Amino acid sequence: MENCSVIYVLDKNFNSGEIIKSYLEEFNLGYEVKIFSDYNEGIKAIKKDDNHPIVFVDISNDDKNSLIKTLETIKLFTSKIIITSTDYSTNTIVKAMRMGAKEFLPKPVLKQDLKRVITMFCLQQNLGDDTASKIITIYSNKGGIGKTTIASNLAIELAKATHDKVALIDLNLQLGDISTFLNLNPTFDVAYVIKNLIDKKEETLIKAFEQYKDSSLYILSDPNYIEQSESITPQEIDSLFTALKKIFPYIIVDMSSNIDPNSLKILDKSDWILFTTIVNIPAIRNAQRCLNLFRSRRYPNNRVKLIINRYMENDEIKIEDIETTLGEKVYWKVPNNYFTIMESINKGIPVSDVNANSNIANSFKDLAIKISDDIVEQAIINYRGR
Ligand SMILES: Nc1ncnc2c1ncn2[C@@H]1O[C@H](COP(=O)(O)OP(=O)(O)OP(=O)(O)O)[C@@H](O)[C@H]1O
Ligand SMILES: [Mg+2]
């Protein structure tokens, strides 16, 4: 905790500095927050701080030359720079990032955005880089339940909601669908990355991913030929995750419904399993078996989240009955919307591009927000409990 103890807020507008301070104090992470409306004074204090502190710098209405000088100087003492600005044109953000800022927060700063950014910094500083990264696997032990639909739409919404780097990995090695669902024609695939790039530097590794339409989503598809996936071992899957955790705060995994050594490795390594079922007796019976398997593998309680796909309000089987049968609370319900989903799959676009106001597009958007909020919430609890 002591090497995370002071946060510096450089803001010419003292009131907006105060708002950031009050949020930070509310999160109760054990920081002292110092606000400076005189940047030179702020820089002097940062120079004396040996702990590579977190620094917020407001760049609204700043003239470019003094701004460059300010950031260049701060960069000598810490890399944890968060830029805030009332101007959130792409130009400003790009400019700030080029000058070495790690994050950009538009003003007025939203509590939730601040919480996310600060937690990531805090965790990276205190617990090592890869603990901040989460592997979120969409799984069902039954085929055709909606895993790929959920994985691809959730990944897109998570990138939109967090602006963080999100990886979407197709580990359904023999029957992957993600490149079809999102209409991609990838050059590289999971097998290639595992066999050739796993120990390469971040810059090289990330080039094997397809960046999705200028977003912060990066996709790695399944191999074109079944033979390429046959030789992949659980050990190699482990190494793949280790490498990806250094790059991506969120790793969304789509996989097959098989239970084999590779699948078990994926599930064992996942921080979250979005265990998906639909509301019918055979599916629920299968879900029950699978949850027993998870219990026998002693997965921590909060790893498995129950998702109901194709949910309909007036279904004969009630949610409470499912919860009682499975001994698990429902984490999220994705509504049944056959036409929007079919159009999305046929056109190779996410449901938000088919109809952003549809119940299903909203459901994925809200699910993404809930997941990122819950991860931050959990991280804060863990951080406090250290
Ligand atoms: N919420 C939904 N509402 C309506 N239809 C849905 C919904 N989710 C999925 N579907 C339908 O279910 C079909 C199967 O979905 P999807 O391919 O995502 O499942 P999967 O679990 O990945 O299958 P597989 O086991 O083959 O990989 C899709 O073609 C789609 O039509
Ligand atoms: Mg699938």
Side-chain angles (χ1 to χ4, degrees), residues 140 142-150 172 175 177 181 254-257 309-311 334-339 341-342 345 360 364:
S140 159
K142 214 169 152 52
I145 286 287
K147 296 183 293 293
T148 307
T149 306
I150 296 174
N172 191 345
L175 292 165
D177 280 328
F181 273 48
D254 183 19
M255 59 183 286
S256 79
S257 18
N309 191 23
R310 312 198 66 161
Y311 173 71
V334 178
N336 188 56
N337 188 332
Y338 182 78
F339 293 105
I341 295 268
M342 278 328 283
I345 296 173
I360 187 132
F364 287 129

Side-chain angles (χ1 to χ4, degrees), residues 173-308:
L173 293 170
Q174 301 200 342
L175 292 165
D177 280 328
I178 283 181
S179 50
T180 317
F181 273 48
L182 295 177
N183 193 21
L184 305 171
N185 198 357
T187 315
F188 298 101
D189 60 65
V190 179
Y192 186 87
V193 167
I194 285 179
K195 301 287 180 192
N196 302 287
L197 298 177
I198 208 71
D199 49 1
K200 296 284 181 289
K201 285 208 207 80
E202 178 178 333
E203 303 86 79
T204 311
L205 194 53
I206 204 165
K207 288 201 182 96
F209 286 70
E210 289 285 306
Q211 185 178 4
Y212 191 70
K213 293 183 181 167
D214 284 335
S215 72
S216 60
L217 172 63
Y218 294 80
I219 301 168
L220 192 54
S221 303
D222 64 313
N224 271 333
Y225 303 102
I226 289 181
E227 310 83 71
Q228 290 174 298
S229 65
E230 275 171 353
S231 66
I232 292 174
T233 64
Q235 185 52 45
E236 285 172 327
I237 288 182
D238 201 321
S239 311
L240 174 71
F241 284 146
T242 306
L244 298 186
K245 277 201 153 200
K246 295 196 182 109
I247 309 178
F248 298 100
Y250 300 95
I251 300 163
I252 307 290
V253 180
D254 183 19
M255 59 183 286
S256 79
S257 18
N258 299 345
I259 303 266
D260 55 30
N262 280 347
S263 297
L264 286 173
K265 175 55 86 181
I266 299 168
L267 295 166
D268 287 351
K269 295 296 283 184
S270 299
D271 298 286
W272 284 40
I273 298 168
L274 301 184
F275 179 62
T276 308
T277 185
I278 53 173
V279 181
N280 70 35
I281 300 290
I284 291 168
R285 202 164 279 151
N286 264 295
Q288 207 168 14
R289 279 192 216 132
C290 191
L291 286 169
N292 285 338
L293 172 76
F294 293 160
R295 285 176 196 125
S296 75
R297 294 184 83 76
R298 307 210 181 284
Y299 289 168
N301 270 346
N302 53 10
R303 180 183 303 185
V304 181
K305 318 275 185 208
L306 182 60
I307 309 284
I308 303 290

